[in-house]
Amino acid sequence: MSLETFWFVVVAFFWTGFFVLEGFDFGVGVLHTVVGRDERGRRTALAAIGPFWDGNEVWLIVAGASMFAAFPAWYATLFSGLYLALLLVLVALIARGVAFEFGEKVTSPRWRRTWTWAATLGSGAIPLLLGIGLGGMVAGFPIDADGEFTGNFADIFTAYGVWTGLTLLSLSTLHGAAFLALKTHGAVRERSRAVGVRVWLATLVASVVFAAWSPAVLSVLAAVAVLAAGALLRAGREGWAFSATAAAMAATLSSLFVDLYPNVLISSTDAAYNLTVSGAASGSYALKVMTVAAAVFVPLVLLYQGWTYRVFRARVHDSA
């Protein structure tokens, strides 16, 4: 395997890890007003992701940074073309984080209602917008011979990209419901299971259509994992259900990068203008240095994050 291909796999790994880990955070943010029907219930739902959500967001930063360092041409074209969409993602991330941190600081109903909506809408917007961008990489954006994005904001909304966004949003919602069923006690746990069963069918439909649209076999495995997650939630096997939704998310993200390779960005203008793995990569020396750094630090980060999940593995009670 060449270093260019290796780093394409690393970028795919970071994006996949981000959605597997942060996906359930998004789902909890979307569902916390549904499974928590009073202030106490909403606090319980958000407390379940309290130790994890900000650490999980680091994966997004690392995914973007690895694209910038390993494939500067890919980063430059994609991020300039998706500039407005990524600005909206940034606003959603900020609003969501502020809502989690400051939503309970003032007892005013209007204050809490405002930040509740910020958390809900921000959590839903992020997987939708990122999915539109990731799916658009496969469907193709208007790119010229110089690797420049020549379209406008409307051109980022490809049919495949929009469906990818809807699929990731629905997967995140199901992933979050399974996480809450696994991580909470009492009424919130029961409502999370019930909501998970309700959103399961919509998620299955989205995954099946995505699988039919995508040539990668992994997308079929994602649909199978969603099917299993529904059965496991009904049976009260929350741990296995959460594992199934995590597998579905991982397979969906991985299938996008499998479909994309050996390109990093498809041109809808002319196939000759596609950005390829070898053509968009940094120099050999830079990739070697990055490989050494990744070999040292990525295992440390994984060990630390695994330790964090172990420490905070206990269920959250309704009294939280």
Side-chain angles (χ1 to χ4, degrees):
M1 181 186 294
S2 67
L3 278 177
E4 293 88 352
T5 299
F6 171 77
W7 272 99
F8 179 81
V9 173
V10 170
V11 170
F13 171 75
F14 285 144
W15 276 106
T16 301
F18 169 69
F19 270 97
V20 169
L21 294 175
E22 188 71 354
F24 68 78
D25 287 349
F26 294 146
V28 172
V30 170
L31 295 174
H32 77 286
T33 59
V34 178
V35 300
R37 296 180 181 174
D38 54 20
E39 200 62 40
R40 188 171 114 175
R42 288 189 286 273
R43 286 201 305 269
T44 299
L46 294 182
I49 60 171
F52 311 121
W53 68 268
D54 50 353
N56 292 340
E57 285 184 357
V58 173
W59 284 74
L60 177 61
I61 299 171
V62 175
S66 62
M67 291 174 68
F68 170 77
F71 301 96
W74 183 13
Y75 176 92
T77 302
L78 182 65
F79 278 57
S80 61
L82 300 180
Y83 183 83
L84 182 54
L86 291 172
L87 179 61
L88 294 175
V89 169
L90 181 60
V91 170
L93 285 168
I94 293 171
R96 181 172 175 268
V98 172
F100 289 163
E101 295 292 344
F102 294 101
E104 302 295 326
K105 299 299 183 183
V106 178
T107 58
S108 165
R110 183 177 180 181
W111 172 274
R112 292 190 172 182
R113 188 164 53 248
T114 298
W115 292 115
T116 294
W117 276 107
T120 303
L121 296 177
S123 296
I126 297 166
L128 177 63
L129 290 169
L130 290 177
I132 289 171
L134 291 171
M137 292 193 311
V138 178
F141 292 130
I143 300 169
D144 63 16
D146 296 322
E148 298 287 340
F149 182 86
T150 58
N152 52 43
F153 182 66
D155 290 319
I156 73 173
F157 293 95
T158 63
Y160 181 74
V162 170
W163 193 263
T164 301
L166 293 173
T167 301
L168 291 180
L169 174 57
S170 63
L171 278 170
S172 294
T173 305
L174 181 62
H175 200 25
F179 178 79
L180 284 173
L182 175 65
K183 198 71 171 61
T184 59
H185 275 295
V188 172
R189 177 189 180 190
E190 295 305 317
R191 282 197 290 268
S192 298
R193 284 179 55 196
V195 169
V197 171
R198 288 202 297 271
V199 302
W200 164 78
L201 182 58
T203 307
L204 180 62
V205 170
S207 296
V208 168
V209 173
F210 179 81
W213 212 329
S214 172
V217 176
L218 284 170
S219 59
V220 177
L221 296 179
V224 173
V226 171
L227 184 65
L232 291 165
L233 274 175
R234 284 191 175 89
R237 305 293 296 276
E238 294 99 342
W240 285 107
F242 179 71
S243 298
T245 57
M249 186 70 81
T252 299
L253 265 294
S254 299
S255 71
L256 289 171
F257 288 93
V258 170
D259 289 344
L260 192 59
Y261 187 82
N263 302 298
V264 293
L265 196 55
I266 302 295
S267 171
S268 59
T269 305
D270 191 321
Y273 303 156
N274 291 352
L275 297 184
T276 63
V277 169
S278 57
S282 293
S284 176
Y285 179 77
L287 293 178
K288 288 178 182 177
V289 172
M290 290 169 58
T291 301
V292 173
V296 173
F297 290 108
V298 171
L300 292 176
V301 171
L302 292 175
L303 286 171
Y304 174 77
Q305 196 151 26
W307 175 80
T308 302
Y309 277 86
R310 178 173 175 78
V311 169
F312 295 103
R313 66 187 181 277
R315 289 181 184 267
V316 177
H317 293 265
D318 284 357
S319 58

